[in-house]
Amino acid sequence: MTLLYSRETIAARVQALARVLSRDFVGREPIVIGVLKGAFMFVADLVRALTIPVKIDFIQVASYGSGRTSSGTVQVLTDLRCDIRGQDVVLVDTVLDTGFTLGALRDLLAERQPRTLSTCVLLDKRGQRQVAVQADYVGFTLADGFVVGYGLDHAEAYRHLDSIYLLSPAR
Ligand code: IMP
Ligand code: MG
C-alpha cells in the first residue's frame, strides 16, 4: 500500500474545489448529494469549506459488491429524502471509474427534474471509462490503480484512513 494523496494534499484540493463551487453557486442554495458510503468523508470536508449555504442528502448505491471490479449495474439501496425538483443539485462521489455509477445516478436524478444538475468527484480515473460521463468538478486525475482511504474501501476496510493510498497498481 503506497501513499498517493496525503491528508494535507487532499485538504488543499478540497478547499480549492469548495472555492470554485462557492463562486459558481453564489446566491443559491444547492442540494449536495453524496454517494454512500464512499463520499461520506469528502462531503463532510467539502461542505465545511463552502462559503454558501447548502442542503445535504445522501444516496446509497451498490455497484461493486465487495470486490475491485465494476459489476456494470447500479442498484439504489437507499434513496434520497429530499425532493430535488426545481433545485440546484450537486452530485458528489469520491471516485469516477468506469462511469457506471455516476452515469446511472445522473440519469436517475435528471428524471426528477432538478433546476440544474452538476457532478463533482474527488478522483477521476480517466483511463478506466466505459460509459461516456464526465464530472463538472474534479479534484485529482489518475490513470488507473485501485485506491483506498478517505472513505474508499476494499471489502469495507480502509475507509477511515485520512489519506488516499494505492492498494495495487493493476487489477
Ligand atoms: P464506477 O461505477 O466504475 O465509475 O465506480 C464508481 C464507484 O466505485 C465509486 O462510487 C466507488 O465507490 C467505487 N470505486 C471505483 N474505483 C474505486 C477504487 O479505486 N477504490 C475504491 N472504490 C472505488
Ligand atoms: Mg467499495
Side-chain angles (χ1 to χ4, degrees), residues 9-21:
T9 302
I10 295 168
R13 200 64 197 103
V14 171
Q15 293 288 332
L17 279 174
R19 270 197 298 275
V20 176
L21 281 163

PDB file of all heavy atoms in Angstrom, residues 9-21:
ATOM      1  N   THR A   9      -2.556  17.202   1.187  1.00  0.00           N
ATOM      2  CA  THR A   9      -2.794  17.362  -0.255  1.00  0.00           C
ATOM      3  C   THR A   9      -4.288  17.325  -0.549  1.00  0.00           C
ATOM      4  O   THR A   9      -4.798  18.132  -1.328  1.00  0.00           O
ATOM      5  CB  THR A   9      -2.065  16.238  -1.032  1.00  0.00           C
ATOM      6  OG1 THR A   9      -0.684  16.301  -0.713  1.00  0.00           O
ATOM      7  CG2 THR A   9      -2.255  16.376  -2.532  1.00  0.00           C
ATOM      8  N   ILE A  10      -4.998  16.396   0.099  1.00  0.00           N
ATOM      9  CA  ILE A  10      -6.450  16.293  -0.082  1.00  0.00           C
ATOM     10  C   ILE A  10      -7.125  17.567   0.424  1.00  0.00           C
ATOM     11  O   ILE A  10      -7.962  18.148  -0.257  1.00  0.00           O
ATOM     12  CB  ILE A  10      -7.012  15.056   0.654  1.00  0.00           C
ATOM     13  CG1 ILE A  10      -6.475  13.760   0.044  1.00  0.00           C
ATOM     14  CG2 ILE A  10      -8.549  15.060   0.602  1.00  0.00           C
ATOM     15  CD1 ILE A  10      -6.753  12.514   0.872  1.00  0.00           C
ATOM     16  N   ALA A  11      -6.717  18.005   1.610  1.00  0.00           N
ATOM     17  CA  ALA A  11      -7.346  19.195   2.205  1.00  0.00           C
ATOM     18  C   ALA A  11      -7.196  20.412   1.299  1.00  0.00           C
ATOM     19  O   ALA A  11      -8.148  21.175   1.096  1.00  0.00           O
ATOM     20  CB  ALA A  11      -6.735  19.468   3.578  1.00  0.00           C
ATOM     21  N   ALA A  12      -6.016  20.578   0.724  1.00  0.00           N
ATOM     22  CA  ALA A  12      -5.768  21.724  -0.160  1.00  0.00           C
ATOM     23  C   ALA A  12      -6.649  21.649  -1.406  1.00  0.00           C
ATOM     24  O   ALA A  12      -7.210  22.651  -1.851  1.00  0.00           O
ATOM     25  CB  ALA A  12      -4.295  21.771  -0.553  1.00  0.00           C
ATOM     26  N   ARG A  13      -6.788  20.472  -1.946  1.00  0.00           N
ATOM     27  CA  ARG A  13      -7.582  20.289  -3.171  1.00  0.00           C
ATOM     28  C   ARG A  13      -9.078  20.470  -2.881  1.00  0.00           C
ATOM     29  O   ARG A  13      -9.807  21.036  -3.687  1.00  0.00           O
ATOM     30  CB  ARG A  13      -7.291  18.885  -3.746  1.00  0.00           C
ATOM     31  CG  ARG A  13      -7.630  18.723  -5.174  1.00  0.00           C
ATOM     32  CD  ARG A  13      -6.802  19.608  -6.099  1.00  0.00           C
ATOM     33  NE  ARG A  13      -7.471  19.690  -7.401  1.00  0.00           N
ATOM     34  CZ  ARG A  13      -8.179  20.743  -7.816  1.00  0.00           C
ATOM     35  NH1 ARG A  13      -8.263  21.814  -7.080  1.00  0.00           N
ATOM     36  NH2 ARG A  13      -8.787  20.712  -8.987  1.00  0.00           N
ATOM     37  N   VAL A  14      -9.508  19.968  -1.722  1.00  0.00           N
ATOM     38  CA  VAL A  14     -10.921  20.119  -1.339  1.00  0.00           C
ATOM     39  C   VAL A  14     -11.245  21.596  -1.117  1.00  0.00           C
ATOM     40  O   VAL A  14     -12.302  22.074  -1.537  1.00  0.00           O
ATOM     41  CB  VAL A  14     -11.240  19.266  -0.081  1.00  0.00           C
ATOM     42  CG1 VAL A  14     -12.633  19.563   0.459  1.00  0.00           C
ATOM     43  CG2 VAL A  14     -11.121  17.774  -0.403  1.00  0.00           C
ATOM     44  N   GLN A  15     -10.338  22.330  -0.494  1.00  0.00           N
ATOM     45  CA  GLN A  15     -10.526  23.773  -0.302  1.00  0.00           C
ATOM     46  C   GLN A  15     -10.662  24.476  -1.645  1.00  0.00           C
ATOM     47  O   GLN A  15     -11.520  25.345  -1.817  1.00  0.00           O
ATOM     48  CB  GLN A  15      -9.323  24.377   0.453  1.00  0.00           C
ATOM     49  CG  GLN A  15      -9.183  23.928   1.893  1.00  0.00           C
ATOM     50  CD  GLN A  15     -10.235  24.530   2.825  1.00  0.00           C
ATOM     51  OE1 GLN A  15     -10.727  25.625   2.574  1.00  0.00           O
ATOM     52  NE2 GLN A  15     -10.594  23.801   3.860  1.00  0.00           N
ATOM     53  N   ALA A  16      -9.833  24.087  -2.598  1.00  0.00           N
ATOM     54  CA  ALA A  16      -9.861  24.708  -3.928  1.00  0.00           C
ATOM     55  C   ALA A  16     -11.186  24.399  -4.637  1.00  0.00           C
ATOM     56  O   ALA A  16     -11.792  25.277  -5.251  1.00  0.00           O
ATOM     57  CB  ALA A  16      -8.675  24.224  -4.753  1.00  0.00           C
ATOM     58  N   LEU A  17     -11.624  23.153  -4.539  1.00  0.00           N
ATOM     59  CA  LEU A  17     -12.919  22.776  -5.133  1.00  0.00           C
ATOM     60  C   LEU A  17     -14.053  23.567  -4.499  1.00  0.00           C
ATOM     61  O   LEU A  17     -14.966  24.023  -5.187  1.00  0.00           O
ATOM     62  CB  LEU A  17     -13.185  21.273  -4.933  1.00  0.00           C
ATOM     63  CG  LEU A  17     -12.521  20.283  -5.881  1.00  0.00           C
ATOM     64  CD1 LEU A  17     -12.802  18.857  -5.416  1.00  0.00           C
ATOM     65  CD2 LEU A  17     -12.998  20.476  -7.319  1.00  0.00           C
ATOM     66  N   ALA A  18     -13.988  23.723  -3.192  1.00  0.00           N
ATOM     67  CA  ALA A  18     -15.037  24.436  -2.468  1.00  0.00           C
ATOM     68  C   ALA A  18     -15.078  25.909  -2.873  1.00  0.00           C
ATOM     69  O   ALA A  18     -16.154  26.506  -2.956  1.00  0.00           O
ATOM     70  CB  ALA A  18     -14.811  24.304  -0.960  1.00  0.00           C
ATOM     71  N   ARG A  19     -13.918  26.477  -3.132  1.00  0.00           N
ATOM     72  CA  ARG A  19     -13.868  27.872  -3.590  1.00  0.00           C
ATOM     73  C   ARG A  19     -14.577  28.025  -4.929  1.00  0.00           C
ATOM     74  O   ARG A  19     -15.355  28.952  -5.137  1.00  0.00           O
ATOM     75  CB  ARG A  19     -12.409  28.343  -3.724  1.00  0.00           C
ATOM     76  CG  ARG A  19     -11.851  28.966  -2.455  1.00  0.00           C
ATOM     77  CD  ARG A  19     -10.588  29.778  -2.742  1.00  0.00           C
ATOM     78  NE  ARG A  19      -9.506  28.941  -3.290  1.00  0.00           N
ATOM     79  CZ  ARG A  19      -8.667  28.237  -2.534  1.00  0.00           C
ATOM     80  NH1 ARG A  19      -8.770  28.251  -1.214  1.00  0.00           N
ATOM     81  NH2 ARG A  19      -7.722  27.512  -3.095  1.00  0.00           N
ATOM     82  N   VAL A  20     -14.317  27.104  -5.843  1.00  0.00           N
ATOM     83  CA  VAL A  20     -14.931  27.153  -7.177  1.00  0.00           C
ATOM     84  C   VAL A  20     -16.444  26.937  -7.071  1.00  0.00           C
ATOM     85  O   VAL A  20     -17.227  27.684  -7.667  1.00  0.00           O
ATOM     86  CB  VAL A  20     -14.288  26.093  -8.109  1.00  0.00           C
ATOM     87  CG1 VAL A  20     -14.989  26.063  -9.459  1.00  0.00           C
ATOM     88  CG2 VAL A  20     -12.808  26.377  -8.296  1.00  0.00           C
ATOM     89  N   LEU A  21     -16.856  25.956  -6.287  1.00  0.00           N
ATOM     90  CA  LEU A  21     -18.291  25.691  -6.103  1.00  0.00           C
ATOM     91  C   LEU A  21     -18.991  26.885  -5.454  1.00  0.00           C
ATOM     92  O   LEU A  21     -20.084  27.262  -5.870  1.00  0.00           O
ATOM     93  CB  LEU A  21     -18.488  24.434  -5.243  1.00  0.00           C
ATOM     94  CG  LEU A  21     -18.319  23.093  -5.957  1.00  0.00           C
ATOM     95  CD1 LEU A  21     -18.127  21.967  -4.948  1.00  0.00           C
ATOM     96  CD2 LEU A  21     -19.514  22.790  -6.851  1.00  0.00           C
TER      97      LEU A  21
END
